[in-house]
Amino acid sequence: MPTEHNRERRRVTLTRDGPALIEGPVELVMDDGTTVTSDRFLVAICMCRRSGNYPFCDTSHRKHRSKPAAD
């Protein structure tokens, strides 16, 4: 639930085949209830769960992209 001091809107950019980009700083609540924070001005959140630094993106998704079909 937002408190009075953190009601400022944050921009979230969803990328195709990549991370969600969130203007920081952010506090993420994980599915087990723990919290993870980042004070960076732009935070890349892993959407594919392949990151070794989950929930933050480490570009592991790039290794798993399918190659375009040959003509």
Side-chain angles (χ1 to χ4, degrees), residues 18-65:
L21 304 174
I22 304 174
E23 291 181 1
V26 297
E27 178 180 89
L28 304 171
V29 180
M30 305 302 293
D31 59 356
D32 65 359
T34 60
T35 60
V36 181
T37 61
S38 175
D39 292 327
R40 295 183 63 141
F41 69 93
L42 187 64
V43 181
I45 304 300
C46 178
M47 301 298 287
C48 68
R49 294 188 172 255
R50 292 183 177 122
S51 174
N53 192 28
Y54 186 82
F56 304 107
C57 180
D58 67 0
T59 69
S60 291
H61 60 274
R62 292 180 184 167
K63 298 174 197 163
H64 297 280
R65 285 190 181 156

